Amino acid sequence: MNLSDKNNMSSKMEQVPVTYDTYGRMKFHSDYHGRQKTPRTTSDEKFLIENYAKIGPEQVSFALERTIHTIMTRAYELR
């Protein structure tokens, strides 16, 4: 593979920028929220219940691959 091929590959694999809402929460990004819009599992719910207060919504969102807003909304619904 020559230098030209490498440059073409890197331009095709451009990074999608991470964006944030007005509250500073990360908006949907396919690299971090791959399970968004998929059904929640019992183990997801259990993890959310057990860890939300311990590690916070941001870390739970990364662990469950869902947006922070989705995690916070579900935590509110479960209360």
Side-chain angles (χ1 to χ4, degrees):
M1 183 178 298
N2 62 32
L3 184 58
S4 175
D5 291 338
K6 288 181 182 180
N7 288 338
N8 286 336
M9 284 180 56
S10 66
S11 66
K12 289 178 185 178
M13 298 174 49
E14 290 182 29
Q15 298 292 327
V16 177
V18 174
T19 57
Y20 298 89
D21 66 10
T22 56
Y23 298 102
R25 300 177 299 204
M26 183 188 296
K27 291 183 178 181
F28 175 79
H29 191 286
S30 59
D31 290 344
Y32 300 106
H33 306 118
R35 295 181 57 216
Q36 189 74 9
K37 302 275 185 189
T38 61
R40 289 185 285 265
T41 64
T42 305
S43 61
D44 288 348
E45 298 281 305
K46 184 177 179 182
F47 184 86
L48 173 66
I49 292 165
E50 292 175 354
N51 293 290
Y52 187 85
K54 291 178 190 175
I55 64 175
E58 184 174 23
Q59 294 303 314
V60 172
S61 78
F62 286 127
L64 298 180
E65 298 183 37
R66 298 179 186 276
T67 63
I68 298 169
H69 183 266
T70 301
I71 296 300
M72 292 174 76
T73 300
R74 187 62 183 152
Y76 175 80
E77 293 170 351
L78 292 172
R79 289 182 181 184

